[in-house]
């Protein structure tokens, strides 16, 4: 097969490179940064592998394609924590919990006593919740570096410059708006804190009609907190309003978070198409792989498999647009 060049070393680019390498193809990867990092929105992701929870607001295809994501990441060197997702709501917002339960599946209702057994730190704080036992999470940055290291073991290294050769796979995320004019940015803001006083072992989602919150443990008292999704065309710093709301919601989950040390405040724009589903779009000698929206780590493995099947075997992918303007 002719040379394949991948543009971008974010989650999409590295997953496609990994799938091609598994088929005996050694692609070139070009990224001016030379490594996974803050140039890609996947660096600031939550890392939740939660297809059943995402089904609350996503299309059914997200659940169907995302159920195998945890297995894929684990098979490709990422440390995957399989302790499920705990979904909670303050007593005054119990209708939000009922709504979430109606829109999702594969969960078990849990009482206050069962919540305390799952997460002792939350004992006595919530009367009931939902436990999605099969869900998982990972550390996105460690996962990207694991993919890079495995590719390097195969002799595939990220180049910082050079002209693409052969078939080009454009996985530049939002930067590809120069060619994909229906791509938009959906801003997400995140907070990383260190709080050894609070010990949580699984992803916790706190439902709220205005500011839903998720807290993802990263180990050693470090947590990633995320909440916002704002329609925007670009990248901005975290607003004071968002920072206050995220911290307030974290405090509502557990007052111990009031003593947390703030390690990082970050904001980035996720690439999304109008229907919030990914696309593989062929134009001449370029295959564009984009539009992961908020499902980067959940859907990238499936989209990468489709891309590799198309490039190696000519199999038309599920999310394929031919010569879209």
């Amino acid at each position: 097969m002719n040379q394949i060049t991948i543009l971008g070393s974010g989650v999409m680019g590295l997953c496609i490179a990994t799938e091609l390498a598994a088929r005996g193809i050694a692609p070139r990867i070009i990224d001016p940064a030379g490594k996974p990092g803050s140039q890609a929105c996947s660096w600031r992701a939550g890392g939740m592998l939660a297809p059943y929870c995402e089904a609350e607001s996503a299309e059914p295809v997200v659940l169907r394609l995302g159920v195998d994501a945890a297995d894929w990441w684990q098979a490709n060197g990422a440390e995957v924590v399989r302790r499920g997702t705990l979904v909670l709501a303050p007593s005054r917002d119990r209708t939000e919990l009922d709504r979430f339960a109606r829109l999702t599946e594969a969960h078990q209702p849990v009482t206050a006593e069962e919540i305390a057994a799952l997460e002792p730190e939350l004992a006595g704080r919530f009367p009931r919740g939902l436990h999605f036992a099969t869900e998982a999470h990972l550390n996105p940055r460690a996962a990207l570096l694991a993919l890079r290291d495995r590719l390097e073991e195969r002799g595939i290294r990220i180049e910082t410059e050079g002209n693409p050769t052969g078939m080009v796979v454009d996985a530049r995320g939002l930067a590809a708006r120069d060619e994909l004019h229906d791509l938009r940015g959906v801003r997400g803001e995140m907070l990383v804190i260190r709080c050894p006083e609070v010990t949580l072992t699984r992803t916790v989602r706190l439902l709220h009609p205005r500011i839903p919150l998720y807290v993802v443990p990263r180990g050693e008292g470090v947590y990633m907190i995320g909440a916002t999704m704002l329609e925007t065309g670009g990248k901005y710093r975290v607003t004071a309003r968002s920072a206050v709301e995220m911290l307030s919601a974290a405090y509502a989950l557990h007052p111990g978070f009031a003593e947390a040390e703030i390690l990082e405040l970050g904001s980035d724009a996720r690439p999304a198409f109008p229907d919030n589903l990914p696309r593989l779009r062929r134009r001449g000698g370029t295959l564009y792989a984009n539009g992961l929206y908020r499902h980067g780590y959940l859907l990238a493995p499936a989209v990468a498999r489709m891309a590799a099947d198309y490039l190696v075997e000519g199999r038309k992918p599920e999310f394929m647009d031919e010569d879209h303007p």
Side-chain angles (χ1 to χ4, degrees):
M1 159 172 271
N2 292 332
Q3 177 70 54
I4 296 175
T5 301
I6 298 172
L7 305 180
S9 66
V11 67
M12 189 77 271
L14 291 183
C15 284
I16 293 174
T18 298
E19 283 292 317
L20 289 171
R23 291 160 171 74
I25 306 297
R28 292 177 64 200
I29 306 173
I30 299 177
D31 190 315
K35 61 182 179 180
S38 59
Q39 77 276 8
C41 66
S42 48
W43 194 249
R44 297 185 179 87
M48 296 177 294
L49 305 176
Y52 294 102
C53 282
E54 289 301 310
E56 176 259 342
S57 58
E59 295 293 325
V61 67
V62 173
L63 170 58
R64 175 167 57 82
L65 295 180
V67 291
D68 297 327
D71 291 340
W72 189 94
W73 282 105
Q74 187 165 327
N76 286 284
E79 182 180 349
V80 177
V81 180
R82 298 174 179 265
R83 292 184 59 81
T85 302
L86 185 59
V87 178
L88 304 171
S91 297
R92 66 180 182 277
D93 296 321
R94 60 183 180 273
T95 57
E96 289 294 307
L97 193 65
D98 295 335
R99 182 191 61 83
F100 200 93
R102 287 195 304 270
L103 295 174
T104 56
E105 57 186 86
H107 53 71
Q108 178 68 37
V110 286
T111 63
E113 292 76 17
E114 290 168 325
I115 293 170
L118 290 168
E119 295 292 350
E121 293 277 354
L122 301 179
R125 298 201 53 76
F126 299 91
R128 60 191 182 98
L130 301 170
H131 185 216
F132 294 77
T134 62
E135 296 190 333
H137 70 270
L138 50 70
N139 183 326
R141 299 176 186 183
L144 290 181
L145 295 176
L147 293 187
R148 179 203 61 180
D149 293 346
R150 285 204 165 193
L151 290 167
E152 287 186 349
E153 290 172 2
R154 294 173 177 257
I156 303 169
R157 290 177 170 79
I158 301 170
E159 305 171 29
T160 58
E161 57 186 4
N163 295 320
T165 53
M167 183 72 189
V168 176
V169 178
D170 189 321
R172 294 179 295 139
L174 198 59
R177 282 191 302 178
D178 58 353
E179 298 291 340
L180 304 176
H181 302 305
D182 55 340
L183 197 66
R184 77 189 197 282
V186 180
R187 184 164 126 218
E189 295 163 306
M190 52 82 76
L191 172 69
V192 179
I193 62 174
R194 180 183 290 117
C195 188
E197 295 80 9
V198 178
T199 301
L200 300 176
T201 64
R202 55 179 52 77
T203 299
V204 178
R205 292 187 182 228
L206 182 64
L207 303 181
H208 185 280
R210 194 166 56 87
I211 301 294
L213 173 88
Y214 55 81
V215 177
V216 187
R218 294 278 170 85
E220 299 181 348
V222 175
Y223 298 89
M224 186 274 190
I225 299 173
T228 62
M229 276 202 314
L230 306 171
E231 293 288 341
T232 177
K235 303 181 179 184
Y236 303 90
R237 292 181 175 150
V238 178
T239 64
R241 177 194 298 271
S242 295
V244 168
E245 289 178 337
M246 283 191 287
L247 289 169
S248 297
Y251 179 80
L253 177 65
H254 194 294
F257 282 126
E259 304 303 320
E261 172 190 3
I262 296 175
L263 301 180
E264 182 179 346
L265 277 167
S267 175
D268 216 321
R270 309 173 181 105
F273 289 110
D275 61 0
N276 295 331
L277 293 176
R279 291 285 188 282
L280 291 169
R281 183 171 292 171
R282 176 75 182 267
R283 290 185 187 166
T286 300
L287 179 68
Y288 295 90
N290 216 315
L292 290 173
Y293 183 47
R294 57 175 287 166
H295 310 302
Y297 288 81
L298 189 63
L299 292 188
V303 178
R305 282 193 296 265
M306 293 179 196
D309 287 343
Y310 175 74
L311 293 167
V312 177
E313 303 172 16
R315 193 185 311 170
K316 186 174 180 179
E318 181 174 347
F319 295 113
M320 187 70 173
D321 287 349
E322 295 282 358
D323 297 322
H324 191 285

